[in-house]
Amino acid sequence: MLFLPLAVKFGVMAILSTGWLAMHRHMNDLPQNQPFHLAAAKRDARKGRFYFLSVWVGLLAAFFCFGSLEALGSVSFDSTQARDWVLGLVGGLGLWGILISAAVWARVGQRASMPNADGMSLTPLPEEKYPHGRQ
């Protein structure tokens, strides 16, 4: 029975992460009935909204779950198995929230660190990129 809370926690995280990845894949699809530039613009808008909502859903899930874990610490359960199930479910949901927020934050940080990420900056010349020659 020592594995039950950990197994439930990782099971919840796996199920929720699989659902999030399926939605992410759907957001990356281009609509087929439009020209490429319009379809790409709509896809980018959908992805931006999806990432924005993902961060907030993840943060709210983590906040409520970890607050609930603190409150559930003093609750007496009928059995230790019920306690393990409940704590595993709530802990898994909270960890999933942190995982999703971190994944989106890493993706946004990766994109923001690219040259000309804002679309308005000048792209550096080759001699500015490599002031001491190509490496």
Side-chain angles (χ1 to χ4, degrees):
M1 286 297 149
L2 188 59
F3 284 113
L4 189 61
L6 193 59
V8 171
K9 189 179 296 185
F10 282 121
V12 167
M13 285 176 52
I15 290 169
L16 291 174
S17 296
T18 302
W20 188 84
L21 285 172
M23 289 174 51
H24 182 266
R25 184 173 172 94
H26 175 68
M27 291 298 143
N28 282 332
D29 290 340
L30 288 172
Q32 298 298 322
N33 57 353
Q34 296 177 342
F36 177 77
H37 66 285
L38 293 176
K42 285 187 178 187
R43 179 200 57 200
D44 291 345
R46 275 194 333 255
K47 279 174 47 178
R49 181 169 169 79
F50 177 71
Y51 285 152
F52 175 79
L53 291 175
S54 291
V55 168
W56 282 108
V57 167
L59 289 175
L60 287 173
F63 175 75
F64 286 123
C65 289
F66 291 135
S68 298
L69 279 176
E70 186 176 329
L72 287 172
S74 61
V75 173
S76 62
F77 288 89
D78 293 338
S79 68
T80 57
Q81 188 174 14
R83 180 181 181 87
D84 290 345
W85 274 97
V86 170
L87 293 180
L89 287 171
V90 173
L93 184 61
L95 286 176
W96 172 80
I98 290 176
L99 175 75
I100 293 303
S101 298
V104 172
W105 187 255
R107 180 79 174 162
V108 168
Q110 179 185 23
R111 174 69 178 110
S113 67
M114 295 173 75
N116 198 19
D118 59 357
M120 298 184 312
S121 344
L122 294 175
T123 321
L125 297 172
E127 57 269 8
E128 292 172 344
K129 280 189 204 176
Y130 306 105
H132 302 293
R134 293 241 176 215
Q135 296 173 354

